[in-house]
Structures are given as C-alpha cells and as structure tokens.
Amino acid sequence: MALFSKANKEVFTRPLNIDHPILGQVLGICSALAVTAQLEPAIVMGLAVTIITAFSNLIISVLRNTIPNRIRIIVQLVVVAALVTIVSQVLKAFAYDVSVQLSVYVGLIITNCILMGRLEAFAMTNKPWPSLLDGIGNGLGYAMILVIVGGIRELLGSGTLLGITIIPKGVYDAGYMDNGMMTMPAMALILVGCVIWIHRAYFYKEQ
C-alpha cells in the first residue's frame, strides 16, 4: 500500500536513528535536560511533544498551499500554540501533579526548535500523510532520549522508577547509596552527551 511504502517507512524511521533530532541534529536539548530528573514527567513530556509535532505537521501540510509565504512562520506559531494550549489544559485536567512538575516547560514547547524545524523543512513541502509520519517519528525520537535519561537519573538518583522502589533494601543495607549527583541538571547534560557519543560512534562505524 502507498501509505506504507518504502519511502514513507524511511520518513518515519530516519528520525529514530541516523537523523535523530537530538542525537543527530542536536535540537531540543534544553527541554531534554530540564524534565528528566524523574521518569514520569519525561514520559509525559515526550508524549506531549510527539502529539504536538505530529498534528502540527499534519495541519500545516494540509494548509501549505493556502498559506502566504510572507506569513508562514506566524501561521505555524499559531497552530503550534493552539495545540500546546490544548495539551496543557488536558494535562491539568487529567494529570495535574505531572503538569505541576513540568511547570512552564509544556508552554515552552512552542519554542522547541524540533517542531519549527520540521514544519519548515518537511510539512511545508510534503503531503499530509508523510508529514504526519515525520512528526510522529521525530516526536518519538525526542521522547526516547527523555525516557532513557529520565530512567537512568531516577534509578541511580533515588533507586526508583515511576515512584516504585527498584533497588532492594538489602542493597542499601550492604552499603549502597543513591547517587545524589543524578538529581542535578548537569548530569542530564553528561548523560545526553554519552548517548550522543554512543549513537554517533555506532553510525560512523556502520558507514
């Protein structure tokens, strides 16, 4: 089927590997560092960005032939801002505690360079279905890093995942201590740097 053609599959998968928005293009680093102290807000932030990226790509692609070139950035910002507002209100209604943890960072999704980059580079020049796939792929690629970094920081920093104790009490009795540095923002940067290093080393080796 044309919907699942080789070209469309590549559009979806490239942001998950060689063209990863964080690991390959080093975009969206600020929010990736800000919300990864624990796994739950990292997951929610990743899902929020995925939903907004996917639907903003879709909407702009549908409207691309009717948007005057001189105001295209304004239209893109309006679409993203509307979606961010909807997602923010849904989070406050159904996951208030997490929305408080994420604080202003949900609202700042509108400034995420991954979103605007995909709208300009892809949605404005491609059909709706590939644009939707591109948005989902880039959103999931972004979310993947948040989950990895958030999981490592919470596990090593407090011995839990999603608030559930993972490291047994016996390990603490044997002398193990939580790594307090993992709760500091600097560790997020170091972990992201390590993941970028591993990612690039792998793909350079493949090439």
Side-chain angles (χ1 to χ4, degrees):
M1 293 178 62
L3 291 179
F4 302 102
S5 65
K6 183 178 179 181
N8 286 337
K9 288 179 181 178
E10 186 175 357
V11 166
F12 177 75
T13 57
R14 281 185 70 87
L16 297 173
N17 44 64
I18 195 167
D19 280 341
H20 193 285
I22 293 179
L23 305 183
Q25 303 172 52
V26 198
L27 300 175
I29 291 290
C30 296
S31 56
L33 303 182
V35 300
T36 54
Q38 293 183 318
L39 183 56
E40 185 178 18
I43 292 173
V44 173
M45 185 68 167
L47 289 175
V49 170
T50 301
I51 291 169
I52 294 169
T53 306
F55 283 98
S56 61
N57 261 22
L58 176 63
I59 293 169
I60 292 298
S61 180
V62 170
L63 300 175
R64 71 189 187 283
N65 293 325
T66 63
I67 301 174
N69 188 58
R70 65 183 181 277
I71 62 167
R72 71 186 191 283
I73 300 297
I74 297 174
V75 174
Q76 292 169 12
L77 286 171
V78 169
V79 169
V80 174
L83 291 171
V84 168
T85 301
I86 293 170
V87 168
S88 178
Q89 293 303 312
V90 169
L91 284 177
K92 288 178 180 178
F94 298 101
Y96 182 76
D97 291 342
V98 178
S99 72
V100 171
Q101 285 181 283
L102 292 175
S103 184
V104 299
Y105 296 108
V106 173
L108 289 175
I109 291 175
I110 190 174
T111 65
N112 193 313
C113 43
I114 296 174
L115 271 79
M116 299 306 296
R118 297 325 299 166
L119 294 178
E120 273 289 286
F122 200 92
M124 285 295 293
T125 56
N126 288 275
K127 294 181 179 179
W129 177 246
S131 296
L132 178 64
L133 292 178
D134 178 78
I136 295 172
N138 277 276
L140 290 177
Y142 171 87
M144 177 178 68
I145 299 305
L146 264 64
V147 169
I148 291 172
V149 175
I152 293 173
R153 291 182 68 191
E154 182 178 354
L155 179 63
L156 299 182
S158 58
T160 64
L161 284 176
L162 296 174
I164 301 171
T165 300
I166 301 297
I167 299 178
K169 186 175 183 298
V171 176
Y172 289 101
D173 293 340
Y176 175 80
M177 296 178 62
D178 292 328
N179 187 343
M181 288 187 63
M182 283 292 170
T183 62
M184 300 172 63
M187 285 308 302
L189 182 61
I190 293 171
L191 288 173
V192 170
C194 290
V195 177
I196 291 175
W197 170 45
I198 295 169
H199 175 268
R200 295 193 174 188
Y202 172 78
F203 279 105
Y204 287 159
K205 181 179 179 181
E206 289 292 304
Q207 291 173 1

